[in-house]
């Protein structure tokens, strides 16, 4: 069953939210909180949420602030003011979930940009969750400080809502380019026709992404109170945002240095970035379900 509602915030923006619940039970096995990726919105995950709901899980998600229908005059479509605000919204949602579903395990799931927000969520609030699942796991980019300098300069000169094709290409999200998403052409065609999908971020939002990516390496900023937290990363072997084997090793080692030792990385053959939407995504669904079952007790 799908229910949609609005999550209130301290400011004028109401976050568009959705809950997908099992039809066969009022006592879910666990809750999965889902963070969507860049340029997109929560509706793209309803099929995956239905898969989990059929197996006894509740899935809760919002349109990230500035995406989908989580917009207002204060948070226009496409604008992300800060990574801190993006992560804070997810913490607010977690606390709402814990009030509505007390004493149920809570797993955080983040795809792509959501995989960055999911890891930054760990800085102060890892005790709220019982596991972390990442797909399309974005690596720390060594040259990201250069991108931050370029983004700040461009924003000062052109303003917060200005776009730059050059900087978008440097980010890996060139306008009009969708081939990096999946080998599955049906998925790409759906993306092209989707009115809630963005083709390009303003430079101010690119800067938010880069500042968030930079934080992934600031290991001293992570309190790491839940050191045995199980973490699962599932990526495609042809995903350009992971950095390949070297990038994935660096991602795992960084989490280890922070203090998280229960980290598993799985690479799926012949898949690109959106493993949940690839041909053969059923295998990815099954791996996530297996992880949830293993750690829900």
């Amino acid at each position: 069953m799908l229910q949609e509602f609005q999550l209130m915030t301290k400011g004028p923006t109401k976050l568009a939210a959705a809950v997908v619940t099992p039809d066969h039970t009022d006592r879910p096995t666990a809750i999965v909180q889902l963070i969507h990726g860049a340029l997109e919105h929560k509706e793209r995950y309803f099929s995956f949420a239905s898969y989990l709901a059929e197996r006894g899980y509740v899935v809760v998600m919002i349109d990230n602030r500035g995406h989908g229908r989580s917009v207002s005059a204060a948070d226009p479509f496409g604008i992300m003011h800060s990574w801190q605000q993006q992560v804070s919204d997810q913490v607010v949602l977690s606390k709402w979930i814990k009030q509505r579903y007390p004493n149920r395990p809570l797993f955080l799931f983040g795809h792509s940009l959501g995989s960055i927000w999911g890891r930054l969520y760990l800085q102060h609030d890892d005790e709220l969750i019982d596991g972390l699942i990442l797909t399309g796991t974005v690596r720390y980019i060594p040259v990201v400080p250069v991108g931050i300098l370029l983004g700040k300069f461009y924003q000062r000169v052109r303003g917060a809502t200005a776009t730059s094709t050059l900087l978008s290409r440097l980010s890996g999200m060139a306008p009009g380019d969708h081939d990096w998403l999946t080998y599955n052409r049906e998925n790409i065609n759906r993306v092209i026709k989707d009115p809630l999908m963005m083709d390009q971020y303003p430079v101010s939002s690119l800067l938010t992404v880069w500042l968030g990516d930079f934080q992934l390496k600031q290991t001293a900023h992570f309190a790491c109170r839940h050191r045995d937290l199980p973490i699962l990363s599932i990526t495609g072997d042809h995903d350009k945002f992971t950095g390949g084997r070297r990038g994935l090793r660096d991602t795992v080692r960084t989490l280890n240095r922070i203090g998280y030792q229960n980290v598993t990385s799985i690479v799926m053959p012949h898949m690109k970035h959106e493993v949940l939407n690839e041909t053969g995504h059923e295998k990815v669904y099954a791996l996530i379900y297996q992880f949830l079952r293993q750690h829900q007790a």
Side-chain angles (χ1 to χ4, degrees):
M1 181 188 304
L2 170 67
Q3 297 176 310
E4 298 190 71
F5 66 100
Q6 291 183 320
L7 186 69
M8 306 302 293
T9 66
K10 292 181 180 178
T13 304
K14 300 175 182 177
L15 302 176
V19 179
V20 182
T21 58
D23 292 329
H24 58 281
T25 179
D26 293 328
R27 184 171 173 80
T29 302
I31 318 301
V32 177
Q33 177 179 337
L34 193 150
I35 312 174
H36 69 71
L39 304 170
E40 59 169 356
H41 55 93
K42 66 183 184 306
E43 278 83 352
R44 300 192 69 228
Y45 295 84
F46 283 176
S47 293
F48 174 58
S50 295
Y51 168 89
L52 292 180
E54 289 170 3
R55 287 153 181 82
Y57 296 87
V58 167
V59 182
V60 186
M61 64 197 99
I62 58 171
D63 285 329
N64 294 347
R65 189 182 294 260
H67 298 70
R69 296 180 176 86
S70 293
V71 296
S72 70
D75 295 290
F77 189 66
I79 296 293
M80 294 184 287
H81 293 295
S82 72
W83 66 264
Q84 294 94 332
Q85 188 179 53
Q86 294 287 318
V87 174
S88 176
D89 287 340
Q90 296 299 330
V91 174
V92 169
L93 181 58
S94 293
K95 291 178 178 179
W96 179 90
I97 291 169
K98 285 189 166 292
Q99 288 183 342
R100 181 160 180 176
Y101 301 98
N103 304 317
R104 294 288 83 199
L106 173 60
F107 293 86
L108 189 64
F109 177 106
H111 171 71
S112 187
L113 181 57
S115 80
I116 297 179
W117 301 157
R119 278 171 283 172
L120 297 184
Y121 179 110
L122 301 180
Q123 284 189 341
H124 305 293
D125 296 285
D126 62 358
E127 289 180 310
L128 292 176
I129 59 175
D130 297 278
L132 174 64
I133 303 166
L134 310 170
T135 61
T137 310
V138 179
R139 66 167 175 156
Y140 169 79
I141 303 170
V143 297
V144 75
V146 177
I148 291 171
L149 290 174
L150 291 172
K152 287 182 176 179
F153 174 78
Y154 193 92
Q155 185 176 235
R156 277 200 305 270
V157 173
R158 298 294 301 274
T161 60
T163 60
S164 167
T165 299
L166 174 61
L167 293 182
S168 292
R169 285 176 178 167
L170 287 175
S171 75
M173 298 180 288
D177 177 19
H178 306 290
D179 286 342
W180 54 272
L181 292 172
T182 56
Y183 286 111
N184 183 356
R185 296 305 306 182
E186 291 183 6
N187 175 55
I188 291 175
N189 289 335
R190 287 195 297 268
V191 167
I192 293 171
K193 297 175 183 178
D194 189 337
L196 289 179
M197 288 291 297
M198 302 176 208
D199 194 41
Q200 185 178 18
Y201 275 136
V203 171
S204 62
S205 293
L206 292 178
L207 185 56
T208 294
V209 175
W210 293 334
L211 287 167
D213 190 77
F214 178 76
Q215 280 294 313
L216 295 176
K217 280 287 188 177
Q218 311 312 304
T219 57
H221 296 175
F222 289 77
C224 194
R225 298 183 182 92
H226 191 173
R227 301 180 70 86
D228 60 347
L229 182 76
I231 301 175
L232 172 65
S233 168
I234 305 178
T235 56
D237 61 344
H238 295 157
D239 184 342
K240 69 178 183 177
F241 288 104
T242 66
R245 292 183 179 180
R246 180 179 296 180
L248 289 168
R249 281 197 302 268
D250 181 66
T251 294
V252 173
R253 287 171 181 167
T254 300
L255 287 166
N256 291 161
R257 282 196 295 272
I258 291 169
Y260 301 108
Q261 302 302 315
N262 191 5
V263 183
T264 302
S265 178
I266 299 174
V267 179
M268 303 298 294
H270 197 66
M271 289 191 179
K272 292 185 180 180
H273 188 60
E274 290 189 345
V275 292
L276 292 183
N277 293 318
E278 272 287 16
T279 303
H281 64 267
E282 297 87 357
K283 297 177 182 177
V284 180
Y285 282 22
L287 286 169
I288 294 170
Y289 176 50
Q290 180 182 350
F291 176 84
L292 291 170
R293 289 190 63 189
Q294 181 181 355
H295 298 289
Q296 66 198 25

